[in-house]
Amino acid sequence: LEMTTLYIQCLSKLSLKREMGLIGAISFIAGTMMGSGIFMSPQSVLINIGSPGGSLVIWAACGVLVTLGSLCYAELGTVIPESGGEYIYFLRIFGQVIAFMFAFSCLFVMIPTSVSGIALSFAEYAVTPFYLDCTPPDLVVKCVAAAGIMVLATVHSMNVRLAIFIQVFCMCFKLVALTVIIVGGLVLLFNGNSNHFEDSFKGSNVEISSIGISLYQGLWSYDGWNTLNYLTEELKYPEVNLPRAVMISIPMVTLLYLLVNVSYLVALTPKELMSSSAVAVTWGNKVLGSWGWVMSIAAALSAFGSLNGTFFSGGRVCFVAAREGHLPDILAMAHVNRLTPSPALIFTTAISLLVLIPGDFQSIVNFFSFTAWFFHAVTLSGLLYLKIKKPELPRPYKVPVVIPILVLLAAIFLVLAPVIDNPAIEYLYVTLFIFSGVLVYVPFIHYKICSGLLEKFTAFLQIFLEVAPADKTL
């Protein structure tokens, strides 16, 4: 065992392949963003904001916010051209402790809740055609969700190109589905069905907490806008393709979302939309008649593509955190033949399946958004620090300083608004969990308690999984 382990450890370090071009990058951003949210969140936005006109303003505001945020992230991705997203930025700017707090929260809260939430959406839509007259059993939905997670874990562990193909295929399919919704709505609108927009701002709820929760629900549909920053080392010519992919994909998705919401509001009354648990299916049944079931399949494939993209980025965070010494070494290794970070993917899968067991979709959305925008605010603070303190760093792409300031203020509002206006004990629990990362960092990372046991465990898994240390892609 020891000789075999030494042989594997003496192999030249492996590197992840740069296999993703501009088309693949656009597909990953747009495909990850256009998941279950646009088929499920519109009714939640409308319920919280109270009016059709207000809901469209929320969707537009979300699009503008993530577009500006993605431009900021594009600059960070070209200044620090390493995989890992926020984690690697925190590590290079703020140091070990803040980076570990993010990795700890990301691996045990943000990524698993995102994966399980999207998987539940995929499963619910996938089984709906088989339960037309009743609600699908919770156990069936969760079993299908678990199966979806495990299938994608296998795909990502076997072949990166296959994962990219799935993403491109699902993006094309969901673009067709969204086009059908948009065209159907425009036909109804041109035929004079615009009465739902009369007094469109009547009943708008302008309380701070209502606006904040509406933005949370809308931003869930835009989640994935920073996906490419998690896999920079697998992107061809990131200094060029990263900002290009961002500037093409996110405005495109924003426009599609606005048109889709207009279509929903043309076909459905606000009451019908708010009472629907799956607005795309309700729209399909009303507009397409007997072909309404097609929207259920389209929504399921859309969620599957989003799950695929989220899985791609999530496994890379785990991989990079391990490579930097914040997780066991085994998670920083890649398969010796396939060159995929399979141990990190297995770890992400295991935690996601555990989170799936008590899965509550609405709570997942709110607490995920709260945590995510807390760390987005810290990331933007880091960008401002680099702009002010280290202007000499090479920047193939840069944004005016006013843009990160505006996005930072918006992120602070998103974190504080729901808490100040309508405090909930759950937000305190999430905050305590974020900062509890320090309690884990000191004994296990700084003082390396149990490091000997981990080395033996790593040696065993290294042979069992046929993996070797992976170097950074230059």
Short mmCIF file of all heavy atoms in Angstrom, two decimals, residues 252-309:
data_model
loop_
_atom_site.label_atom_id
_atom_site.label_comp_id
_atom_site.label_asym_id
_atom_site.label_seq_id
_atom_site.Cartn_x
_atom_site.Cartn_y
_atom_site.Cartn_z
N MET A 252 -29.18 38.66 -22.50
CA MET A 252 -30.09 37.80 -23.25
C MET A 252 -31.10 37.15 -22.30
O MET A 252 -32.31 37.13 -22.58
CB MET A 252 -29.31 36.72 -23.99
CG MET A 252 -30.18 35.70 -24.72
SD MET A 252 -29.21 34.37 -25.48
CE MET A 252 -28.69 33.46 -24.01
N VAL A 253 -30.63 36.63 -21.18
CA VAL A 253 -31.52 35.98 -20.21
C VAL A 253 -32.49 37.00 -19.60
O VAL A 253 -33.68 36.71 -19.43
CB VAL A 253 -30.70 35.30 -19.11
CG1 VAL A 253 -31.60 34.80 -17.98
CG2 VAL A 253 -29.90 34.13 -19.68
N THR A 254 -32.00 38.19 -19.30
CA THR A 254 -32.86 39.24 -18.73
C THR A 254 -34.01 39.58 -19.67
O THR A 254 -35.18 39.67 -19.24
CB THR A 254 -32.04 40.51 -18.43
OG1 THR A 254 -30.98 40.19 -17.52
CG2 THR A 254 -32.92 41.58 -17.81
N LEU A 255 -33.70 39.76 -20.95
CA LEU A 255 -34.74 40.07 -21.93
C LEU A 255 -35.75 38.92 -22.03
O LEU A 255 -36.97 39.16 -22.06
CB LEU A 255 -34.11 40.33 -23.29
CG LEU A 255 -35.08 40.63 -24.44
CD1 LEU A 255 -35.90 41.89 -24.14
CD2 LEU A 255 -34.32 40.80 -25.76
N LEU A 256 -35.26 37.70 -22.07
CA LEU A 256 -36.15 36.54 -22.14
C LEU A 256 -37.07 36.48 -20.92
O LEU A 256 -38.28 36.22 -21.04
CB LEU A 256 -35.34 35.25 -22.24
CG LEU A 256 -34.69 34.95 -23.59
CD1 LEU A 256 -33.78 33.73 -23.49
CD2 LEU A 256 -35.76 34.71 -24.66
N TYR A 257 -36.52 36.72 -19.72
CA TYR A 257 -37.32 36.67 -18.50
C TYR A 257 -38.44 37.72 -18.51
O TYR A 257 -39.57 37.44 -18.09
CB TYR A 257 -36.43 36.89 -17.27
CG TYR A 257 -35.68 35.66 -16.82
CD1 TYR A 257 -35.75 34.46 -17.54
CD2 TYR A 257 -34.92 35.67 -15.66
CE1 TYR A 257 -35.06 33.34 -17.12
CE2 TYR A 257 -34.24 34.55 -15.23
CZ TYR A 257 -34.31 33.39 -15.95
OH TYR A 257 -33.64 32.27 -15.52
N LEU A 258 -38.12 38.92 -18.97
CA LEU A 258 -39.14 39.97 -19.02
C LEU A 258 -40.26 39.59 -19.99
O LEU A 258 -41.45 39.74 -19.68
CB LEU A 258 -38.50 41.30 -19.43
CG LEU A 258 -37.69 42.02 -18.35
CD1 LEU A 258 -36.95 43.21 -18.94
CD2 LEU A 258 -38.59 42.47 -17.20
N LEU A 259 -39.88 39.08 -21.16
CA LEU A 259 -40.90 38.69 -22.14
C LEU A 259 -41.74 37.51 -21.65
O LEU A 259 -42.95 37.45 -21.88
CB LEU A 259 -40.22 38.34 -23.47
CG LEU A 259 -39.57 39.51 -24.22
CD1 LEU A 259 -38.80 39.01 -25.43
CD2 LEU A 259 -40.61 40.54 -24.63
N VAL A 260 -41.10 36.56 -20.97
CA VAL A 260 -41.84 35.42 -20.43
C VAL A 260 -42.84 35.88 -19.38
O VAL A 260 -44.00 35.41 -19.34
CB VAL A 260 -40.87 34.38 -19.85
CG1 VAL A 260 -41.62 33.34 -19.01
CG2 VAL A 260 -40.11 33.68 -20.97
N ASN A 261 -42.45 36.80 -18.51
CA ASN A 261 -43.36 37.30 -17.48
C ASN A 261 -44.52 38.08 -18.08
O ASN A 261 -45.65 38.01 -17.59
CB ASN A 261 -42.59 38.15 -16.47
CG ASN A 261 -41.97 37.33 -15.37
OD1 ASN A 261 -42.62 36.96 -14.40
ND2 ASN A 261 -40.69 37.02 -15.53
N VAL A 262 -44.24 38.84 -19.15
CA VAL A 262 -45.33 39.53 -19.86
C VAL A 262 -46.32 38.50 -20.40
O VAL A 262 -47.54 38.66 -20.30
CB VAL A 262 -44.77 40.41 -21.00
CG1 VAL A 262 -45.90 40.90 -21.91
CG2 VAL A 262 -44.01 41.61 -20.43
N SER A 263 -45.78 37.40 -20.96
CA SER A 263 -46.65 36.35 -21.49
C SER A 263 -47.51 35.72 -20.39
O SER A 263 -48.71 35.48 -20.57
CB SER A 263 -45.81 35.27 -22.18
OG SER A 263 -46.63 34.24 -22.69
N TYR A 264 -46.89 35.44 -19.24
CA TYR A 264 -47.66 34.90 -18.12
C TYR A 264 -48.81 35.84 -17.74
O TYR A 264 -49.95 35.41 -17.52
CB TYR A 264 -46.76 34.72 -16.90
CG TYR A 264 -45.76 33.59 -16.99
CD1 TYR A 264 -44.59 33.62 -16.24
CD2 TYR A 264 -45.98 32.48 -17.80
CE1 TYR A 264 -43.66 32.60 -16.29
CE2 TYR A 264 -45.06 31.45 -17.86
CZ TYR A 264 -43.90 31.52 -17.10
OH TYR A 264 -42.98 30.50 -17.15
N LEU A 265 -48.51 37.14 -17.66
CA LEU A 265 -49.49 38.12 -17.20
C LEU A 265 -50.57 38.39 -18.25
O LEU A 265 -51.68 38.81 -17.90
CB LEU A 265 -48.78 39.42 -16.82
CG LEU A 265 -47.89 39.34 -15.58
CD1 LEU A 265 -46.99 40.57 -15.46
CD2 LEU A 265 -48.74 39.18 -14.32
N VAL A 266 -50.24 38.16 -19.53
CA VAL A 266 -51.25 38.30 -20.58
C VAL A 266 -52.24 37.14 -20.52
O VAL A 266 -53.46 37.32 -20.65
CB VAL A 266 -50.58 38.37 -21.97
CG1 VAL A 266 -51.62 38.22 -23.08
CG2 VAL A 266 -49.85 39.71 -22.14
N ALA A 267 -51.73 35.93 -20.33
CA ALA A 267 -52.57 34.73 -20.39
C ALA A 267 -53.33 34.45 -19.10
O ALA A 267 -54.44 33.92 -19.12
CB ALA A 267 -51.72 33.52 -20.75
N LEU A 268 -52.72 34.82 -17.96
CA LEU A 268 -53.29 34.48 -16.66
C LEU A 268 -53.65 35.74 -15.89
O LEU A 268 -52.96 36.76 -15.98
CB LEU A 268 -52.29 33.66 -15.84
CG LEU A 268 -51.73 32.39 -16.49
CD1 LEU A 268 -50.64 31.79 -15.61
CD2 LEU A 268 -52.83 31.37 -16.74
N THR A 269 -54.72 35.67 -15.13
CA THR A 269 -55.04 36.77 -14.22
C THR A 269 -54.05 36.74 -13.06
O THR A 269 -53.47 35.68 -12.76
CB THR A 269 -56.47 36.62 -13.67
OG1 THR A 269 -56.53 35.45 -12.85
CG2 THR A 269 -57.49 36.52 -14.80
N PRO A 270 -53.84 37.87 -12.37
CA PRO A 270 -52.96 37.85 -11.21
C PRO A 270 -53.36 36.80 -10.18
O PRO A 270 -52.50 36.14 -9.58
CB PRO A 270 -53.09 39.27 -10.65
CG PRO A 270 -53.42 40.10 -11.85
CD PRO A 270 -54.29 39.23 -12.71
N LYS A 271 -54.67 36.59 -10.00
CA LYS A 271 -55.13 35.59 -9.04
C LYS A 271 -54.74 34.18 -9.49
O LYS A 271 -54.29 33.36 -8.68
CB LYS A 271 -56.65 35.69 -8.88
CG LYS A 271 -57.21 34.77 -7.80
CD LYS A 271 -58.70 34.98 -7.63
CE LYS A 271 -59.25 34.06 -6.53
NZ LYS A 271 -60.72 34.25 -6.34
N GLU A 272 -54.90 33.88 -10.77
CA GLU A 272 -54.51 32.57 -11.29
C GLU A 272 -53.01 32.35 -11.16
O GLU A 272 -52.56 31.25 -10.80
CB GLU A 272 -54.90 32.46 -12.77
CG GLU A 272 -56.40 32.30 -13.02
CD GLU A 272 -56.73 32.32 -14.50
OE1 GLU A 272 -56.03 33.01 -15.27
OE2 GLU A 272 -57.71 31.63 -14.88
N LEU A 273 -52.24 33.38 -11.44
CA LEU A 273 -50.80 33.26 -11.37
C LEU A 273 -50.34 33.03 -9.93
O LEU A 273 -49.49 32.18 -9.66
CB LEU A 273 -50.14 34.51 -11.96
CG LEU A 273 -48.69 34.39 -12.42
CD1 LEU A 273 -48.40 35.42 -13.51
CD2 LEU A 273 -47.72 34.57 -11.28
N MET A 274 -50.92 33.79 -8.99
CA MET A 274 -50.50 33.68 -7.60
C MET A 274 -50.90 32.35 -6.97
O MET A 274 -50.24 31.86 -6.05
CB MET A 274 -51.06 34.84 -6.78
CG MET A 274 -50.38 36.17 -7.05
SD MET A 274 -50.88 37.50 -5.93
CE MET A 274 -52.53 37.85 -6.53
N SER A 275 -51.99 31.74 -7.45
CA SER A 275 -52.46 30.48 -6.87
C SER A 275 -51.79 29.27 -7.50
O SER A 275 -51.98 28.13 -7.04
CB SER A 275 -53.97 30.35 -7.04
OG SER A 275 -54.33 30.34 -8.41
N SER A 276 -50.99 29.47 -8.55
CA SER A 276 -50.36 28.36 -9.25
C SER A 276 -49.07 27.94 -8.54
O SER A 276 -48.27 28.79 -8.13
CB SER A 276 -50.04 28.76 -10.70
OG SER A 276 -49.26 27.77 -11.32
N SER A 277 -48.86 26.65 -8.42
CA SER A 277 -47.60 26.14 -7.86
C SER A 277 -46.55 25.94 -8.94
O SER A 277 -45.37 25.82 -8.65
CB SER A 277 -47.85 24.82 -7.13
OG SER A 277 -48.37 23.85 -8.02
N ALA A 278 -46.98 25.87 -10.19
CA ALA A 278 -46.07 25.72 -11.33
C ALA A 278 -46.66 26.54 -12.48
O ALA A 278 -47.44 26.04 -13.28
CB ALA A 278 -45.92 24.26 -11.71
N VAL A 279 -46.28 27.80 -12.56
CA VAL A 279 -46.94 28.75 -13.44
C VAL A 279 -46.81 28.35 -14.91
O VAL A 279 -47.73 28.57 -15.71
CB VAL A 279 -46.42 30.18 -13.19
CG1 VAL A 279 -44.94 30.30 -13.52
CG2 VAL A 279 -47.22 31.19 -13.99
N ALA A 280 -45.68 27.77 -15.30
CA ALA A 280 -45.50 27.38 -16.71
C ALA A 280 -46.50 26.31 -17.12
O ALA A 280 -47.03 26.32 -18.24
CB ALA A 280 -44.08 26.88 -16.94
N VAL A 281 -46.78 25.37 -16.21
CA VAL A 281 -47.76 24.32 -16.51
C VAL A 281 -49.16 24.91 -16.58
O VAL A 281 -49.96 24.56 -17.46
CB VAL A 281 -47.69 23.21 -15.45
CG1 VAL A 281 -48.77 22.17 -15.69
CG2 VAL A 281 -46.31 22.55 -15.46
N THR A 282 -49.48 25.83 -15.65
CA THR A 282 -50.78 26.51 -15.69
C THR A 282 -50.95 27.27 -16.99
O THR A 282 -52.01 27.25 -17.61
CB THR A 282 -50.91 27.46 -14.48
OG1 THR A 282 -50.70 26.73 -13.28
CG2 THR A 282 -52.29 28.10 -14.44
N TRP A 283 -49.90 27.98 -17.40
CA TRP A 283 -49.92 28.71 -18.67
C TRP A 283 -50.13 27.74 -19.83
O TRP A 283 -50.94 28.00 -20.73
CB TRP A 283 -48.60 29.47 -18.84
CG TRP A 283 -48.52 30.30 -20.09
CD1 TRP A 283 -48.81 31.63 -20.22
CD2 TRP A 283 -48.12 29.85 -21.40
NE1 TRP A 283 -48.61 32.04 -21.52
CE2 TRP A 283 -48.20 30.97 -22.27
CE3 TRP A 283 -47.71 28.64 -21.92
CZ2 TRP A 283 -47.86 30.89 -23.61
CZ3 TRP A 283 -47.38 28.55 -23.27
CH2 TRP A 283 -47.46 29.66 -24.10
N GLY A 284 -49.41 26.61 -19.81
CA GLY A 284 -49.52 25.65 -20.89
C GLY A 284 -50.91 25.06 -21.00
O GLY A 284 -51.45 24.91 -22.11
N ASN A 285 -51.52 24.74 -19.85
CA ASN A 285 -52.87 24.17 -19.87
C ASN A 285 -53.90 25.16 -20.43
O ASN A 285 -54.86 24.77 -21.10
CB ASN A 285 -53.28 23.74 -18.46
CG ASN A 285 -52.49 22.53 -17.99
OD1 ASN A 285 -52.01 21.73 -18.79
ND2 ASN A 285 -52.32 22.41 -16.68
N LYS A 286 -53.69 26.45 -20.17
CA LYS A 286 -54.65 27.46 -20.61
C LYS A 286 -54.44 27.85 -22.07
O LYS A 286 -55.41 28.05 -22.81
CB LYS A 286 -54.56 28.69 -19.72
CG LYS A 286 -55.66 29.70 -19.98
CD LYS A 286 -55.74 30.74 -18.88
CE LYS A 286 -56.91 31.70 -19.10
NZ LYS A 286 -57.03 32.68 -18.00
N VAL A 287 -53.19 27.95 -22.49
CA VAL A 287 -52.89 28.44 -23.84
C VAL A 287 -52.76 27.30 -24.84
O VAL A 287 -53.24 27.39 -25.97
CB VAL A 287 -51.60 29.29 -23.84
CG1 VAL A 287 -51.25 29.75 -25.25
CG2 VAL A 287 -51.76 30.50 -22.91
N LEU A 288 -52.11 26.20 -24.44
CA LEU A 288 -51.85 25.10 -25.36
C LEU A 288 -52.89 23.99 -25.29
O LEU A 288 -52.86 23.07 -26.11
CB LEU A 288 -50.46 24.50 -25.09
CG LEU A 288 -49.27 25.46 -25.18
CD1 LEU A 288 -47.97 24.74 -24.87
CD2 LEU A 288 -49.20 26.11 -26.56
N GLY A 289 -53.76 24.06 -24.31
CA GLY A 289 -54.83 23.07 -24.20
C GLY A 289 -54.31 21.68 -23.93
O GLY A 289 -53.58 21.45 -22.95
N SER A 290 -54.63 20.73 -24.78
CA SER A 290 -54.25 19.33 -24.57
C SER A 290 -52.74 19.11 -24.66
O SER A 290 -52.22 18.07 -24.24
CB SER A 290 -54.95 18.43 -25.59
OG SER A 290 -54.60 18.79 -26.92
N TRP A 291 -52.03 20.09 -25.21
CA TRP A 291 -50.57 20.01 -25.29
C TRP A 291 -49.87 20.67 -24.10
O TRP A 291 -48.66 20.86 -24.09
CB TRP A 291 -50.07 20.64 -26.58
CG TRP A 291 -50.36 19.81 -27.79
CD1 TRP A 291 -51.48 19.84 -28.57
CD2 TRP A 291 -49.52 18.80 -28.34
NE1 TRP A 291 -51.42 18.91 -29.58
CE2 TRP A 291 -50.20 18.26 -29.48
CE3 TRP A 291 -48.25 18.29 -28.02
CZ2 TRP A 291 -49.66 17.24 -30.25
CZ3 TRP A 291 -47.72 17.28 -28.81
CH2 TRP A 291 -48.42 16.78 -29.90
N GLY A 292 -50.63 21.00 -23.08
CA GLY A 292 -50.07 21.68 -21.92
C GLY A 292 -49.00 20.86 -21.21
O GLY A 292 -48.09 21.42 -20.57
N TRP A 293 -49.09 19.52 -21.31
CA TRP A 293 -48.10 18.67 -20.64
C TRP A 293 -46.68 18.90 -21.16
O TRP A 293 -45.69 18.60 -20.48
CB TRP A 293 -48.47 17.19 -20.83
CG TRP A 293 -48.55 16.76 -22.26
CD1 TRP A 293 -49.64 16.80 -23.08
CD2 TRP A 293 -47.47 16.24 -23.05
NE1 TRP A 293 -49.33 16.34 -24.34
CE2 TRP A 293 -48.00 15.98 -24.35
CE3 TRP A 293 -46.14 15.96 -22.81
CZ2 TRP A 293 -47.21 15.48 -25.37
CZ3 TRP A 293 -45.35 15.45 -23.84
CH2 TRP A 293 -45.89 15.21 -25.10
N VAL A 294 -46.58 19.42 -22.39
CA VAL A 294 -45.25 19.68 -22.97
C VAL A 294 -44.46 20.64 -22.10
O VAL A 294 -43.23 20.53 -21.95
CB VAL A 294 -45.39 20.23 -24.41
CG1 VAL A 294 -44.03 20.66 -24.96
CG2 VAL A 294 -46.02 19.19 -25.32
N MET A 295 -45.15 21.62 -21.49
CA MET A 295 -44.46 22.60 -20.65
C MET A 295 -43.87 21.96 -19.40
O MET A 295 -42.85 22.41 -18.89
CB MET A 295 -45.42 23.73 -20.26
CG MET A 295 -45.92 24.57 -21.43
SD MET A 295 -44.59 25.12 -22.54
CE MET A 295 -43.53 26.00 -21.42
N SER A 296 -44.52 20.89 -18.92
CA SER A 296 -43.97 20.18 -17.77
C SER A 296 -42.63 19.53 -18.13
O SER A 296 -41.66 19.61 -17.36
CB SER A 296 -44.96 19.12 -17.28
OG SER A 296 -44.43 18.42 -16.17
N ILE A 297 -42.58 18.90 -19.31
CA ILE A 297 -41.33 18.28 -19.77
C ILE A 297 -40.27 19.34 -20.02
O ILE A 297 -39.09 19.17 -19.65
CB ILE A 297 -41.57 17.47 -21.06
CG1 ILE A 297 -42.66 16.42 -20.83
CG2 ILE A 297 -40.28 16.82 -21.53
CD1 ILE A 297 -42.35 15.43 -19.74
N ALA A 298 -40.68 20.47 -20.62
CA ALA A 298 -39.73 21.55 -20.90
C ALA A 298 -39.15 22.11 -19.60
O ALA A 298 -37.94 22.37 -19.50
CB ALA A 298 -40.42 22.66 -21.68
N ALA A 299 -40.01 22.29 -18.60
CA ALA A 299 -39.54 22.82 -17.31
C ALA A 299 -38.60 21.83 -16.64
O ALA A 299 -37.60 22.23 -16.01
CB ALA A 299 -40.73 23.12 -16.41
N ALA A 300 -38.89 20.53 -16.74
CA ALA A 300 -38.02 19.51 -16.15
C ALA A 300 -36.64 19.53 -16.79
O ALA A 300 -35.61 19.49 -16.09
CB ALA A 300 -38.65 18.13 -16.29
N LEU A 301 -36.58 19.58 -18.14
CA LEU A 301 -35.29 19.64 -18.82
C LEU A 301 -34.54 20.94 -18.51
O LEU A 301 -33.31 20.95 -18.39
CB LEU A 301 -35.49 19.50 -20.33
CG LEU A 301 -35.67 18.07 -20.86
CD1 LEU A 301 -35.96 18.10 -22.36
CD2 LEU A 301 -34.45 17.22 -20.56
N SER A 302 -35.28 22.02 -18.37
CA SER A 302 -34.67 23.30 -18.03
C SER A 302 -34.01 23.21 -16.65
O SER A 302 -32.87 23.65 -16.46
CB SER A 302 -35.73 24.40 -18.04
OG SER A 302 -35.15 25.64 -17.73
N ALA A 303 -34.72 22.65 -15.68
CA ALA A 303 -34.17 22.49 -14.35
C ALA A 303 -32.97 21.54 -14.36
O ALA A 303 -31.99 21.74 -13.63
CB ALA A 303 -35.25 21.98 -13.39
N PHE A 304 -33.04 20.50 -15.19
CA PHE A 304 -31.94 19.54 -15.28
C PHE A 304 -30.67 20.23 -15.80
O PHE A 304 -29.57 19.98 -15.31
CB PHE A 304 -32.32 18.39 -16.21
CG PHE A 304 -31.37 17.24 -16.17
CD1 PHE A 304 -31.35 16.37 -15.10
CD2 PHE A 304 -30.49 17.00 -17.22
CE1 PHE A 304 -30.48 15.28 -15.05
CE2 PHE A 304 -29.61 15.93 -17.19
CZ PHE A 304 -29.61 15.07 -16.11
N GLY A 305 -30.83 21.11 -16.81
CA GLY A 305 -29.68 21.86 -17.31
C GLY A 305 -29.10 22.79 -16.26
O GLY A 305 -27.89 22.92 -16.14
N SER A 306 -29.98 23.44 -15.49
CA SER A 306 -29.51 24.32 -14.43
C SER A 306 -28.79 23.53 -13.34
O SER A 306 -27.76 23.96 -12.81
CB SER A 306 -30.71 25.06 -13.82
OG SER A 306 -30.28 25.98 -12.84
N LEU A 307 -29.32 22.35 -13.02
CA LEU A 307 -28.67 21.47 -12.04
C LEU A 307 -27.30 21.04 -12.54
O LEU A 307 -26.33 21.00 -11.77
CB LEU A 307 -29.56 20.25 -11.79
CG LEU A 307 -29.06 19.22 -10.79
CD1 LEU A 307 -28.89 19.83 -9.41
CD2 LEU A 307 -30.02 18.03 -10.73
N ASN A 308 -27.19 20.76 -13.82
CA ASN A 308 -25.92 20.38 -14.42
C ASN A 308 -24.87 21.49 -14.26
O ASN A 308 -23.74 21.23 -13.85
CB ASN A 308 -26.13 20.06 -15.90
CG ASN A 308 -24.87 19.59 -16.59
OD1 ASN A 308 -24.28 18.59 -16.20
ND2 ASN A 308 -24.44 20.31 -17.63
N GLY A 309 -25.27 22.72 -14.55
CA GLY A 309 -24.34 23.84 -14.41
C GLY A 309 -23.95 24.10 -12.97
O GLY A 309 -22.79 24.39 -12.65
#
